[in-house]
C-alpha cells in the first residue's frame, strides 16, 4: 500500500505541466537523507538560481516550493523518495 504524506516539495513546471519533483535530499551538514521541508526547498531553489537557472519571464518554465500531498516509495538505494505528486 502506498504511503501518503503532506510535505513541501520542489516542483519543476515546464509549459505549465509538472515535470519533476523533489521532497528529500542529503543534508549537507550531516550527510543524512532527510525531508527537505520549506527551508530546504527554498535553499535548493537558491542553489539552482546561483548555478544559472532562470525561470522564464512567462512563468511557463519555473521551479516552485509547494506544500502538496505526495505518494512516497523507497528507491533502489533504500531512500524514501516522492513517487508521485497528487
Amino acid at each position: 500500500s502506498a504511503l501518503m504524506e503532506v510535505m513541501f516539495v520542489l516542483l519543476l513546471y515546464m509549459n505549465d505541466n509538472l515535470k519533476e519533483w523533489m521532497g528529500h535530499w542529503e543534508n549537507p551538514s550531516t550527510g543524512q537523507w532527510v525531508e527537505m521541508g520549506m527551508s530546504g526547498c527554498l535553499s535548493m531553489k537558491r542553489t539552482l538560481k546561483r548555478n544559472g537557472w532562470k525561470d522564464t519571464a512567462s512563468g511557463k518554465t519555473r521551479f516552485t516550493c509547494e506544500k502538496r500531498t505526495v505518494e512516497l516509495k523507497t528507491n533502489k538505494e533504500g531512500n524514501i523518495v516522492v513517487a508521485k505528486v497528487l
Side-chain angles (χ1 to χ4, degrees):
S1 72
L3 181 62
M4 306 294 183
E5 189 171 310
V6 175
M7 61 187 288
F8 280 100
V9 284
L10 179 63
L11 304 171
L12 171 60
Y13 288 96
M14 298 181 89
N15 294 322
D16 293 324
N17 295 311
L18 181 58
K19 290 294 182 187
E20 291 191 28
W21 52 84
M22 181 176 155
H24 299 79
W25 68 343
E26 188 175 325
N27 183 311
S29 55
T30 66
Q32 296 289 98
W33 189 255
V34 294
E35 186 177 318
M36 288 193 324
M38 179 55 112
S39 62
C41 189
L42 293 172
S43 174
M44 181 62 71
K45 196 172 164 186
R46 281 192 302 275
T47 298
L48 288 163
K49 286 186 189 301
R50 268 198 307 274
N51 290 333
W53 173 265
K54 301 251 188 302
D55 289 344
T56 57
S58 67
K60 292 243 179 229
T61 302
R62 68 192 189 284
F63 275 105
T64 180
C65 292
E66 296 179 16
K67 192 172 195 176
R68 300 285 292 268
T69 300
V70 298
E71 183 179 308
L72 301 176
K73 71 173 184 179
T74 303
N75 69 7
K76 62 182 181 249
E77 287 86 32
N79 294 322
I80 294 173
V81 296
V82 175
K84 190 187 303 181
V85 177
L86 305 172

